[in-house]
Amino acid sequence: MYKVLIVGAGNIASEYDDATSTVFLTHAHAFVNHPHFELIGFVDPDIIKGINASSKWGTRHFTNLDQAFKYYSNIDIVCIAVPDDLHFNVLQQVANYRPKLVFTEKPLTNTLEQAHIIERLYRELHIPVLINFKRAFIPEILDVINSVKRNDFGEFKNCYGFYNRGFKHNASHLLDLIIRFTGCKELKLMNVIDSISDFSIDDPSHSFVASTDNNAVVVIKSFSGESYPIFELDLHYSSGRIRLFNTGEKLEIYRVQPSSAFSGVNFLQPKDCIDTSLHQSMLHAANNIFEYLSMGKPLRVPIADGIEVMKLTEQVLKDIKNKSCLN
Ligand SMILES: NC(=O)c1ccc[n+]([C@@H]2O[C@H](COP(=O)([O-])OP(=O)(O)OC[C@H]3O[C@@H](n4cnc5c(N)ncnc54)[C@H](O)[C@@H]3O)[C@@H](O)[C@H]2O)c1
């Protein structure tokens, strides 16, 4: 059994579900349920959060990392589920204890510079890092990405993404998916639509239009998360369309086919609507960790993927800032 410690005892660590849920939305639920892991505790300086989580999941509460690693010297996996701006510090602290693997929440860090520091540190210590871009663990989504890579959908033409509640916080998920679905790792900013602070003033939600190397157009639009959370991606290719909606619970597949009404005219026709196992994402991630450690299978979201997202994030933010200065 691999011993797991969760740092942070809030929503995604403990609170979004419970042991009776059929969904796996928390780190705790996945590791408590998995036969090859033992959840040995939570670290949280907030005593109430820590006690609530540890009693809910039948484990221990520690107020800091030192306490946890003094109690158990052989902790294999550390999950990091603290607020975004603490990822960098906590990743640095956790490395001192040399676990076998670190599973960290997104975004990897606040800046690309910090991400490079973490990447170097963990590479030198030979500690693998897995990042929780949850849609990259979902078999139904991966199947469609593989189909795109086999060129089943033809050439990428354009995409429209909706998100809210922070560019780094949530659009990082969109950027990760755009890289996976298109292979495009750079964007050229064409227009800024607007920017709103619906998550934090340090991480506004930007809306913009950009283009790729192949002149495909990428439109990313946000609107206030106060109305409702949104996460959608609509990708058009020369011979089909992929629409991911309901935050990724559903995938619609369209193919270009001859119209039944207009002779000689091709239309996009809906072909398939897939219910994904998005809400089992934590279980898929735990399985990926188990298969990596025990069978040497690849990590689905290694640190290199997190760095690519950080590069794209900083590039877009820099271009938005430059464009705003010009206007
Ligand atoms: N991958 C996803 O789909 C997804 C979904 C939700 C949240 N997240 C990410 O998970 C992280 C946590 O989000 P949340 O909504 O659970 O936040 P939260 O505020 O509910 O919980 C964070 C917890 O961390 C604790 N904490 C603060 N400083 C700490 C420290 N130094 N050591 C240990 N614990 C500390 C807080 O007391 C709190 O209990 C964020 O980075 C967020 O972006 C990811």
Side-chain angles (χ1 to χ4, degrees):
M1 294 266 266
Y2 294 107
K3 288 189 167 36
V4 181
L5 176 71
I6 303 177
V7 185
N11 294 323
I12 196 149
S14 159
E15 292 169 3
Y16 278 148
D17 63 6
D18 61 56
T20 64
S21 310
T22 54
V23 289
F24 287 84
L25 305 177
T26 60
H27 291 259
H29 195 194
F31 290 110
V32 163
N33 192 268
H34 199 290
H36 296 289
F37 295 106
E38 180 193 358
L39 178 60
I40 57 98
F42 291 89
V43 172
D44 200 310
D46 182 323
I47 311 242
I48 298 193
K49 287 269 185 187
I51 288 176
N52 283 348
S54 56
S55 57
K56 175 175 177 180
W57 297 102
T59 185
R60 291 199 148 72
H61 168 232
F62 305 98
T63 48
N64 58 52
L65 283 168
D66 247 5
Q67 238 185 34
F69 278 88
K70 274 194 183 122
Y71 200 93
Y72 289 102
S73 57
N74 56 342
I75 296 171
D76 300 300
I77 293 137
V78 177
C79 300
I80 300 181
V82 296
D84 298 3
D85 55 354
L86 297 180
H87 292 184
F88 178 57
N89 272 341
V90 174
L91 276 161
Q92 283 183 310
Q93 287 169 32
V94 166
N96 293 327
Y97 300 93
R98 316 281 166 93
K100 285 197 174 75
L101 182 142
V102 170
F103 179 34
T104 188
E105 275 306 334
K106 48 52 39 178
L108 176 56
T109 51
N110 245 334
T111 66
L112 181 58
E113 191 189 355
Q114 291 176 345
H116 281 309
I117 292 171
I118 294 300
E119 196 263 335
R120 247 189 331 268
L121 176 66
Y122 276 73
R123 182 165 22 89
E124 279 163 12
L125 297 174
H126 304 287
I127 306 170
V129 177
L130 180 69
I131 302 166
N132 193 16
F133 282 123
K134 61 185 175 185
R135 294 165 192 86
F137 295 103
I138 309 305
E140 301 80 16
I141 296 178
L142 291 174
D143 281 351
V144 181
I145 291 172
N146 286 333
S147 176
V148 169
K149 285 186 178 152
R150 288 193 305 269
N151 208 26
D152 292 349
F153 285 83
E155 194 188 341
F156 172 56
K157 292 292 185 189
N158 58 60
C159 77
Y160 303 85
F162 285 104
Y163 79 102
N164 44 27
R165 306 199 66 245
F167 188 66
K168 293 181 192 174
H169 187 65
N170 272 340
S172 54
H173 279 297
L174 265 185
L175 296 180
D176 176 66
L177 280 181
I178 289 172
I179 293 173
R180 289 177 197 282
F181 273 104
T182 71
C184 152
K185 293 183 176 173
E186 281 182 31
L187 288 174
K188 189 165 162 254
L189 187 74
M190 295 162 73
N191 273 307
V192 181
I193 303 171
D194 56 36
S195 300
I196 52 166
S197 288
D198 63 335
F199 173 63
S200 91
I201 43 163
D202 299 329
D203 185 16
S205 300
H206 301 288
S207 301
F208 60 90
V209 184
S211 64
T212 69
D213 278 353
N214 303 330
N215 293 324
V217 173
V218 173
V219 182
I220 303 289
K221 183 74 187 91
S222 178
F223 55 84
S224 173
E226 278 170 21
S227 315
Y228 46 83
I230 188 160
F231 188 90
E232 291 187 3
L233 186 61
D234 195 351
L235 300 127
H236 288 199
Y237 298 82
S238 55
S239 55
R241 172 186 181 193
I242 300 160
R243 187 169 165 253
L244 180 143
F245 61 110
N246 274 15
T247 79
E249 278 174 43
K250 286 190 183 286
L251 272 174
E252 269 176 1
I253 307 295
Y254 294 71
R255 298 281 183 187
V256 175
Q257 287 186 335
S259 159
S260 52
F262 297 87
S263 61
V265 181
N266 286 335
F267 275 116
L268 267 180
Q269 317 258 15
K271 276 287 141 199
D272 209 356
C273 186
I274 303 162
D275 288 315
T276 75
S277 53
L278 181 69
H279 297 324
Q280 310 293 313
S281 74
M282 284 293 191
L283 211 46
H284 293 308
N287 265 326
N288 185 218
I289 293 171
F290 172 67
E291 291 182 355
Y292 171 82
L293 292 176
S294 62
M295 301 170 206
K297 289 203 178 176
L299 289 178
R300 293 251 182 251
V301 195
I303 194 161
D305 293 7
I307 298 266
E308 289 303 337
V309 172
M310 290 299 305
K311 280 186 189 162
L312 200 47
T313 305
E314 281 219 353
Q315 186 211 332
V316 170
L317 287 175
K318 198 170 118 216
D319 290 351
I320 289 176
K321 196 170 165 201
N322 288 341
K323 200 124 197 152
S324 316
C325 290
L326 289 176
N327 292 340

